[in-house]
Amino acid sequence: MDPLRFIQITDTHLFDRAEGTLRGLDTAQSLAAVVAQVRARGSHIDGILATGDLSHDGGTPSYRRLVQLLAPLHAPIYCLPGNHDALGVFACALKGSQVQSGGCLLADNWQLIFLDSALPGAVHGHLRPAEFARLDAALRGHPERHALICLHHQPIPVGSAWLDKLMLDNAAGLFEIVDRHAHVRGILWGHVHQSFDATRNRVRLLASPSTCIQFKPGCADFTLDDQPPGYRWVELHADGNITTDVEWLD
Ligand SMILES: [Fe+2]
């Protein structure tokens, strides 16, 4: 059986204004360039995992722009919110036949679970009791499926002090659930604007570059990296293996 193949697009930071820039970079242009490169690679895509900070200013036009910019990939879009997203607008604006906000996806013998770790007014992440309960129920409901958990905030430190102050503040609760379900194969997030790939108790832990600006790894204080925009491809195999890599804009 062919693996499921997903593209992770994260931290697009789109603006309501068409030419909005972040640190001098036009975020809509850089996402368009990333999408063009994904298309040029030509591989089949089963879905796009859009892991938060999709809008920078949280307005409806920025979410509409996201869907428009991803349309050339002809793949369903699975969204979850980050700290920059406006929660009230998010689910309304990201609704449609090809767009899903939150929830779960059952595909082949996998389950993907999309968590909301955004707290209104906060930059760090937090999973509310209802999200923990939903995760546990989803995992208990499908013990026969391999599981990939997606969220915005990092559940473990990535090695930059300033950024790790802004991680998930109750990650122990997440790992308590993960450790009870041996069929969890991976956790995937955004927020850190850099590539990260580690393993904890055989669970793959993955973070990915933004489609706009990057943060330099291993820095005590906020430091931009000179890496170009990027994205991650993820292949989920029937035996539970995950093959994945990050691609940077040429
Ligand atoms: Fe973020």
Side-chain angles (χ1 to χ4, degrees):
M1 191 158 58
D2 285 342
L4 291 164
R5 185 178 170 89
F6 292 91
I7 299 295
Q8 184 193 10
I9 293 286
T10 195
D11 298 86
T12 49
H13 288 272
L14 297 173
F15 291 83
D16 279 4
R17 275 189 313 116
E19 291 92 25
T21 59
L22 186 62
R23 305 256 165 187
L25 185 79
D26 183 319
T27 55
Q29 258 178 27
S30 72
L31 175 57
V34 166
V35 166
Q37 183 162 318
V38 173
R39 283 196 72 181
R41 297 283 192 265
S43 301
H44 168 78
I45 302 169
D46 290 297
I48 299 161
L49 309 177
T51 48
D53 283 359
L54 306 178
S55 170
H56 190 76
D57 48 15
T60 301
S62 59
Y63 294 114
R64 298 250 162 85
R65 190 165 297 113
L66 174 78
V67 175
Q68 277 168 9
L69 286 166
L70 294 177
L73 297 178
H74 302 292
I77 306 166
Y78 302 95
C79 301
L80 55 84
N83 46 291
H84 277 276
D85 292 303
L87 296 180
V89 180
F90 188 85
C92 294
L94 292 171
K95 207 159 44 180
S97 56
Q98 283 281 91
V99 190
Q100 176 180 323
S101 174
C104 295
L105 167 67
L106 302 178
D108 292 349
N109 61 342
W110 279 81
Q111 175 173 219
L112 282 71
I113 303 155
F114 308 106
L115 297 179
D116 174 0
S117 61
L119 267 185
V123 180
H124 73 274
H126 183 82
L127 288 168
R128 291 180 303 278
E131 284 300 83
F132 280 138
R134 189 168 70 83
L135 171 64
D136 197 35
L139 293 170
R140 274 190 284 107
H142 295 282
E144 77 290 359
R145 291 174 179 270
H146 308 296
L148 176 69
I149 299 167
C150 304
L151 76 167
H152 181 67
H153 294 85
Q154 74 268 40
I156 61 162
V158 296
S160 286
W162 72 274
L163 197 47
D164 290 330
K165 282 182 200 141
L166 306 174
M167 64 180 272
L168 195 66
D169 72 357
N170 57 349
L174 174 65
F175 286 116
E176 189 272 322
I177 295 170
V178 167
D179 290 344
R180 278 193 281 110
H181 296 282
H183 54 295
V184 176
R185 304 295 176 198
I187 306 176
L188 175 73
W189 63 86
H191 190 53
V192 296
H193 292 233
Q194 61 194 270
S195 179
F196 181 87
D197 190 342
T199 302
R200 177 190 176 279
N201 295 347
R202 299 192 302 280
V203 176
R204 197 81 174 266
L205 304 176
L206 298 163
S208 307
S210 158
T211 60
C212 58
I213 58 167
Q214 316 303 350
F215 302 148
K216 198 172 176 62
C219 291
D221 301 305
F222 174 86
T223 312
L224 286 177
D225 206 348
D226 54 9
Q227 288 277 58
Y231 67 95
R232 178 180 288 281
W233 57 263
V234 181
E235 287 183 348
L236 306 179
H237 297 261
D239 64 0
N241 261 317
I242 297 174
T243 47
T244 181
D245 206 355
V246 155
E247 302 274 346
W248 304 94
L249 205 58
D250 291 336

